[in-house]
Amino acid sequence: MKPGKPLEEAVTSNALQAHVSDCESCRKAELPLERLSSVLSSSTPSINPEAWSLRVLVRSRSILQERRAQSIRRRLPLALGISLVALPLVITYDFFLLERLYTVVSGLPLVLTFYLCASAATVLLLVGGAAYAGLALVLTGVGETLSARMREVQV
Amino acid sequence: MPSDEELAAELGRGDDAALRALLHRYQRPLAHFIFRHTGGSEVEDIYQETWLRVSLHAANFDPEKRFSTWLFQIALNLCRDFHRRSRSAGELDAELRGTSSELDRCEAALEAGALLAQLPEAQREVLILRYYHDLSEEETGRVLDCPKGTVKSRMHNALARLAELARRAKS
């Protein structure tokens, strides 16, 4: 069945025709296909599944919340693990940058040198921390949730 | 546009937008299937229970399989449970025999729901899936968990019985 196809459109006698063309007993029996088809097509249930679907969404909210939490719990150790693999490299590079900075500014007065190096170290720490937080969020699926929200808006 | 199977995988991670999209795609076919299978009883309950089970077990859904087949299997099992709960097989046969003679007398009763109710459950399931939901014999077999040949023979028996009922009702 094609997704999203309204049932009324799907109701055709094709299935009957297809079966009869393939089934010798039915061909021999000379079934009144048109009559059967018109009888079967005569009634379309008068129901309102849209309202039921809204109730399904409400009732399944707690189930989905639990699923999301489970999903994040499952991915968190992996995300932290992947993040930690790169940590020594990041720290080494940060020390390298600070050392280069110290080489450049070491001719300045001691207080100014200390101020510049401390500021640079703080900035590197903040940038590194933010990058790791972002990485962890993306790996735990928060990014997917955000894209899902975008899809929801489109729907 | 994501496929049903991709949406089911996202639903397994708790994505309610995926559930919304799947509901949008399948609410009518599913509700009509349940309606025709149960004859209009407890349709909303079975409909909601089907989707709740989908939400609960979506994480275990095998994306190699078709979502629609899985969805209809869940609904089918619930419909069968409903029939088992509501009456025993013997009572059902007795009731059908009783209504059969009434149908013969009443042209107004020549209506799809009444005719479908005259069919044995196995034949009715095949006819609903093949005729109303346009599923192929292979897909119908997958939903009902039976071989293609069985689907074909049940379809044949269903059509023969329906033709007989329609002929009797007309005369």
Side-chain angles (χ1 to χ4, degrees):
Chain A
M1 183 168 44
K2 287 114 197 131
K5 189 176 178 186
L7 187 68
E8 288 74 13
E9 283 177 29
V11 174
T12 64
S13 61
N14 287 349
L16 299 189
Q17 298 284 5
H19 173 78
V20 170
S21 68
D22 202 29
C23 175
E24 202 174 333
S25 329
C26 283
R27 265 203 309 279
K28 281 182 186 164
E30 293 181 354
L31 296 171
L33 282 190
E34 279 184 22
R35 179 159 169 72
L36 282 181
S37 185
S38 72
V39 168
L40 289 172
S41 309
S42 64
S43 76
T44 303
S46 53
I47 48 181
N48 179 19
E50 286 83 5
W52 303 346
S53 296
L54 288 177
R55 283 195 276 277
V56 167
L57 283 169
V58 172
R59 288 183 65 189
S60 59
R61 199 168 288 162
S62 60
I63 296 172
L64 296 182
Q65 272 172 357
E66 178 57 27
R67 280 273 165 278
R68 276 196 293 276
Q70 274 179 1
S71 177
I72 289 175
R73 276 199 297 273
R74 258 202 312 271
R75 286 163 171 224
L76 195 59
L78 178 70
L80 288 175
I82 291 172
S83 307
L84 288 174
V85 166
L87 191 59
L89 282 175
V90 173
I91 291 173
T92 309
Y93 186 66
D94 285 352
F95 271 109
F96 169 73
L97 286 179
L98 282 175
E99 193 186 9
R100 292 294 300 271
L101 177 67
Y102 179 74
T103 312
V104 172
V105 300
S106 58
L108 297 172
L110 186 62
V111 175
L112 192 56
T113 303
F114 176 77
Y115 171 74
L116 288 172
C117 288
S119 302
T122 309
V123 168
L124 286 174
L125 200 64
L126 286 175
V127 169
Y132 267 84
L135 187 63
L137 286 178
V138 168
L139 288 173
T140 49
V142 174
E144 282 177 28
T145 310
L146 288 175
S147 68
R149 289 282 169 277
M150 294 294 290
R151 263 202 317 281
E152 193 175 353
V153 170
Q154 284 169 0
V155 169
Chain B
M1 190 170 162
S3 69
D4 296 341
E5 291 70 28
E6 287 166 347
L7 288 172
E10 286 172 19
L11 178 60
R13 292 191 285 271
D15 181 358
D16 49 4
L19 177 60
R20 209 180 287 267
L22 286 169
L23 277 166
H24 183 69
R25 287 182 189 179
Y26 284 101
Q27 57 189 2
R28 248 166 218 290
L30 183 70
H32 286 201
F33 170 76
I34 296 168
F35 185 95
R36 290 201 161 95
H37 199 292
T38 61
S41 307
E42 295 186 22
V43 183
E44 183 180 353
D45 289 347
I46 296 176
Y47 178 85
Q48 291 199 21
E49 185 59 31
T50 302
W51 283 111
L52 288 178
R53 287 192 184 190
V54 166
S55 303
L56 261 177
H57 301 293
N60 304 326
F61 171 68
D62 178 3
E64 297 296 311
K65 293 182 178 166
R66 291 191 63 177
F67 173 77
S68 57
T69 305
W70 185 56
L71 176 70
F72 278 91
Q73 277 174 336
I74 293 174
L76 183 72
N77 287 336
L78 288 168
C79 288
R80 286 173 175 170
D81 286 348
F82 159 78
H83 285 298
R84 267 195 291 272
R85 262 199 328 270
S86 57
R87 64 198 77 170
S88 70
E91 287 169 338
L92 179 64
D93 285 347
E95 187 178 312
L96 290 182
R97 277 195 296 277
T99 54
S100 177
S101 58
E102 290 164 21
L103 276 176
D104 290 349
R105 291 194 304 270
C106 183
E107 175 67 23
L110 184 60
E111 175 259 321
L115 278 181
L116 286 173
Q118 300 284 297
L119 295 175
E121 194 172 306
Q123 292 173 18
R124 186 167 65 238
E125 287 166 354
V126 168
L127 191 72
I128 292 171
L129 290 170
R130 289 280 288 123
Y131 182 79
Y132 289 106
H133 296 274
D134 213 17
L135 261 61
S136 67
E137 284 173 346
E138 287 83 3
E139 287 170 319
T140 306
R142 275 199 291 274
V143 172
L144 299 174
D145 197 21
C146 64
K148 187 179 162 185
T150 307
V151 172
K152 200 176 276 187
S153 67
R154 283 180 189 171
M155 184 75 178
H156 167 73
N157 292 334
L159 286 182
R161 176 128 173 85
L162 272 183
E164 175 61 23
L165 287 169
R167 214 172 285 133
R168 276 158 56 188
K170 196 179 178 185
S171 63

